[in-house]
């Protein structure tokens, strides 16, 4: 596809369950970002992958959150033992590393609801 | 890391008037400053960006200015229209040039 794709688009889960969110970046984009957006709030940085470098995990809110990326392709964000405060839209973005800053393209997000 | 502050958090203007949103950043090494528009229920999309080697950029009704000395940049929308109503986010690229630090967003409402 031409854009960043995320799946699922919506996810309802019970408190305490684990969830896995998927992001397919634009082909050729070496940088990939995960953000969390609570209702009516801004974009909260979670994690950043750049090529084969060690990811920047400084935004992960707790050890229940983890993310992986295989090479420069798909990334998965995993939330273990979900809590109600995890309910939010999780946005993935990718960009082509140009060295001087390049546009980040966002996916449509995964709306996670923990009940 | 970079710290981006954005003001105001909400802004209402009459159709046809101008709107200005301001952001400040902390890291003088940041070199790329994009602005994103997010309509209700949709993904953020880039509307304009500016690099640190220029002071102003304009695209039709939208313009962005950058003051590197003061470390602030602004979005200007002229002749506002109802379809400009959305949440606008500023961002700074950070010292590496590729990490993005977002402001907290401005909810703009254009009143017909």
């Amino acid at each position: 596809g031409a854009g960043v794709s995320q799946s699922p688009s919506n996810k309802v889960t019970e408190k305490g369950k684990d969830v896995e969110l998927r992001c397919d970046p634009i082909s050729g984009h070496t940088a990939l970002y995960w953000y969390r957006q609570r209702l009516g709030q801004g974009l909260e940085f979670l994690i950043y992958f750049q090529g084969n470098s060690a990811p920047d995990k400084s935004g992960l809110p707790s050890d229940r959150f983890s993310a992986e990326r295989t090479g420069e392709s798909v990334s998965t964000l995993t939330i273990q033992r979900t809590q109600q405060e995890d309910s939010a839209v999780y946005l993935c973005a990718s960009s082509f590393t140009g060295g001087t800053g390049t546009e980040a393209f966002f996916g449509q997000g995964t709306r996670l609801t923990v009940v | 890391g970079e710290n981006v502050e954005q003001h105001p958090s909400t802004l209402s203007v009459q159709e046809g008037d101008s709107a200005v949103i301001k952001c400040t950043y902390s890291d003088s090494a940041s070199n790329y400053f994009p602005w994103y528009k997010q309509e209700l229920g949709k993904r953020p999309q880039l509307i304009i960006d500016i690099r640190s080697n220029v002071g102003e950029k304009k695209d039709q009704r939208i313009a962005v200015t950058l003051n590197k000395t003061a470390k602030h940049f602004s979005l200007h929308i002229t002749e506002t229209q109802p379809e400009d109503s959305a949440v606008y986010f500023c961002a700074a690229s950070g010292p590496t040039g590729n990490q993005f630090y977002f402001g907290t967003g401005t909810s703009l409402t254009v009143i017909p």
Side-chain angles (χ1 to χ4, degrees), chain B residues 86-109:
Chain B
V87 178
Y88 292 80
F89 293 97
C90 65
S93 63
T96 65
N98 290 298
Q99 172 59 294
F100 291 99
Y101 299 86
F102 282 86
T104 50
T106 296
S107 179
L108 173 65
T109 301

Side-chain angles (χ1 to χ4, degrees), chain B residues 9-32:
Chain B
S9 57
T10 60
L11 179 61
S12 292
V13 298
Q14 293 288 332
E15 181 177 358
D17 287 350
S18 295
V20 180
I21 302 170
K22 298 181 179 182
C23 288
T24 61
Y25 61 100
S26 61
D27 195 326
S28 58
S30 291
N31 58 20
Y32 176 65

